[in-house]
Amino acid sequence: MKVCAVTGHRVLGKNFSAQKLEEALLSLIGEGADTFLCGMALGFDLACGELIAKIKGTIPVKLVACIPCADQSGGYSAKQRARYDALLAACDERVVLHEHYENGCMFERNRYMVDRCDVLLAYLASERGGTYYTVNYAKKKGKRVLFL
C-alpha cells in the first residue's frame, strides 16, 4: 500500500489546472498509490477529493477524509456544504480529530496526514499559511513532496 496525502490552498489561482491535477493523481496511482488522504478543506482539497472519487469508479483506490473537527463545514455556504457532503459520502473512511473546532486543529490534521503518507501532493502558490507549513513539515519528516 502506498499512501498519498494532498494539501493546497483554499483559493485556486489562475494557474490551477484540473487536467494537470488528474494527470498527477493518475501518475501516482501508476506508481502504486492506492490510498489518498484528503483534508476536506475548500479549494484544492475538495478538487482532489472529487477527482479521486471519480477515478474510484474505474480504478480501485481508497479515499480517506481527514477531518480536523466534526463541524468543519459549519461556516460553508449552502453550495459549499452540499459539495462537501457529497464528497464525504464518496469517502471510504472518515477520521475526525476533534468534535468541535479547536485552535490548531487544522495544523494537527495536516500533521496527521503527513505522518501517515508516503508522498505529499501539494499545490503551493505562496510561502505562507497551512499549505506552506504542511510542505515544510513533510520535508522535515523526509517525505517525498510532489508539486502540482
Side-chain angles (χ1 to χ4, degrees):
M1 177 172 80
K2 193 170 194 180
V3 179
C4 175
V6 299
T7 187
H9 302 296
R10 287 188 175 88
V11 176
L12 301 176
K14 290 183 172 125
N15 66 338
F16 175 77
S17 164
Q19 182 180 339
K20 284 191 165 116
L21 173 57
E22 187 167 9
E23 289 168 4
L25 291 170
L26 289 171
S27 175
L28 285 164
I29 291 167
E31 292 176 23
D34 62 1
T35 302
F36 291 85
L37 307 179
C38 179
M40 302 297 292
L42 295 174
F44 188 73
D45 286 7
L46 290 187
C48 284
E50 288 166 344
L51 277 170
I52 295 160
K54 179 182 133 189
I55 289 167
K56 278 180 24 152
T58 56
I59 301 171
V61 294
K62 190 165 134 184
L63 180 57
V64 180
C66 298
I67 303 167
C69 51
D71 53 2
Q72 179 179 17
S73 64
Y76 293 2
S77 70
K79 185 178 176 183
Q80 291 167 333
R81 186 169 299 149
R83 193 174 163 206
Y84 177 92
D85 290 343
L87 180 57
L88 200 53
C91 290
D92 299 289
E93 282 180 38
R94 299 176 189 185
V95 175
V96 181
L97 299 179
H98 297 279
E99 193 58 36
H100 299 288
Y101 177 84
E102 292 183 22
N103 196 24
C105 70
M106 303 295 178
F107 290 114
E108 183 181 345
R109 180 260 332 265
N110 296 345
R111 290 189 303 271
Y112 175 92
M113 294 192 315
V114 167
D115 289 344
R116 286 155 182 79
C117 78
D118 300 300
V119 61
L120 179 68
L121 177 62
Y123 172 68
L124 180 65
S126 67
E127 294 187 352
R128 60 182 175 78
T131 301
Y132 183 63
Y133 168 88
T134 305
V135 166
N136 283 329
Y137 181 75
K139 287 178 177 178
K140 283 180 195 160
K141 290 288 191 172
K143 304 288 180 162
R144 176 177 167 215
V145 179
L146 179 65
F147 293 96
L148 188 66

